Amino acid sequence: MLRLILTLFLISNIAVTEVSATTITLYNKCPHQIWPGLQPTAGKPIIAQGGFNLPSNNAYTLQLPPLWSGRIWARDNCSFDATGHGHCTTGDCGGILSCNGLGGTPPATLAEFTLGNDQDFYDVSLVDGYNLPLTITPLNGNGKCEFAGCVRDLNVMCPMSLQVRSSDMNQVVGCKSACYAFNSPEYCCTGSYGSPQACKPTSYSRIFKLACPKAYSYAFDDPTSIVTCSMANYLVTFCP
Ligand SMILES: *[C@@H]1O[C@H](CO)[C@@H](O)[C@H](O)[C@H]1NC(C)=O
């Protein structure tokens, strides 16, 4: 009898999990339009053709299928022709409007999601650098459903050696991570630095962490930057 009840419970639980897709709303509070990009982890489906235009002060709600994982970022200062080919100053995905599974060129602030049956994991990562402020707010979830994100403007405090400037050189439009800028084991946590014990914060990652304590600043940053939450929907805000 107990086994029967347990089986029924499991079946109903699975059914609930399968019908309740996760809703994610992308909200552009930047004073200018952006082009969000969405890259699924290998083997997961492409959502919204991988990218689209989002005008200032507009929101777009998407359904993520169960167990989806991937990253979401903003592309900035894009221009595309009628066929969807062009270029973005930051976050560009191979010069196409619909990224179709491609990732963005660093530096770009990333919202990372791994949806689970019981628990979702999410974080905002500066491991690939920074282009815009970005936050993740969980809505109506259970558990450790904390805010994640980077609210400050890191471009204005970006060290010279990490800066990405607009083509007229007037403006800092992105801030590279030290790993992306220098590609050395110490900053990328590779080789003999390939463990949390060996790969410590650096003067560069500390700048990111100090400004944005609720974001992942380097590959082996404190795992408290990762949040777990269940049964939630999510709001991703660009320029909160
Ligand atoms: C925006 O893109 C144009 C064309 O590629 C470029 O000339 C300009 O410098 C960019 N502006 C910024 C702020 O990135």
Side-chain angles (χ1 to χ4, degrees), residues 76-79 87-90 165-169 171 173:
D76 200 3
N77 192 31
C78 305
S79 66
H87 180 74
C88 305
T89 301
T90 59
R165 288 179 166 267
S166 58
S167 51
D168 56 12
M169 300 301 280
Q171 212 183 321
V173 295

Side-chain angles (χ1 to χ4, degrees), residues 61-197:
T61 298
L62 300 158
Q63 302 290 329
L64 298 179
L67 307 180
W68 190 81
S69 63
R71 37 178 54 180
I72 299 170
W73 72 100
R75 293 172 286 167
D76 200 3
N77 192 31
C78 305
S79 66
F80 295 109
D81 65 18
T83 68
H85 292 82
H87 180 74
C88 305
T89 301
T90 59
D92 190 63
C93 62
I96 48 178
L97 171 59
S98 303
C99 298
N100 272 319
L102 293 179
T105 304
T109 321
L110 300 175
E112 303 183 305
F113 287 92
T114 302
L115 304 183
N117 277 325
D118 308 322
Q119 245 180 1
D120 303 331
F121 296 83
Y122 57 92
D123 65 78
V124 168
S125 170
L126 305 173
V127 174
D128 278 357
Y130 169 99
N131 63 339
L132 288 175
L134 189 167
T135 59
I136 301 173
T137 311
L139 308 169
N140 304 322
N142 303 318
K144 192 168 168 264
C145 301
E146 286 174 11
F147 158 92
C150 180
V151 179
R152 298 277 296 280
D153 183 358
L154 288 187
N155 290 333
V156 301
M157 57 186 90
C158 185
M160 197 82 92
S161 52
L162 302 182
Q163 291 176 358
V164 174
R165 288 179 166 267
S166 58
S167 51
D168 56 12
M169 300 301 280
N170 271 335
Q171 212 183 321
V172 178
V173 295
C175 189
K176 296 176 196 170
S177 63
C179 170
Y180 185 65
F182 309 122
N183 193 25
S184 69
E186 180 191 358
Y187 296 124
C188 298
C189 302
T190 51
S192 60
Y193 291 89
S195 73
Q197 292 73 28

Side-chain angles (χ1 to χ4, degrees), residues 219-236:
F220 285 121
D221 197 354
D222 182 349
T224 53
S225 306
I226 295 185
V227 197
T228 56
C229 182
S230 59
M231 302 300 290
N233 292 310
Y234 297 98
L235 175 65
V236 172

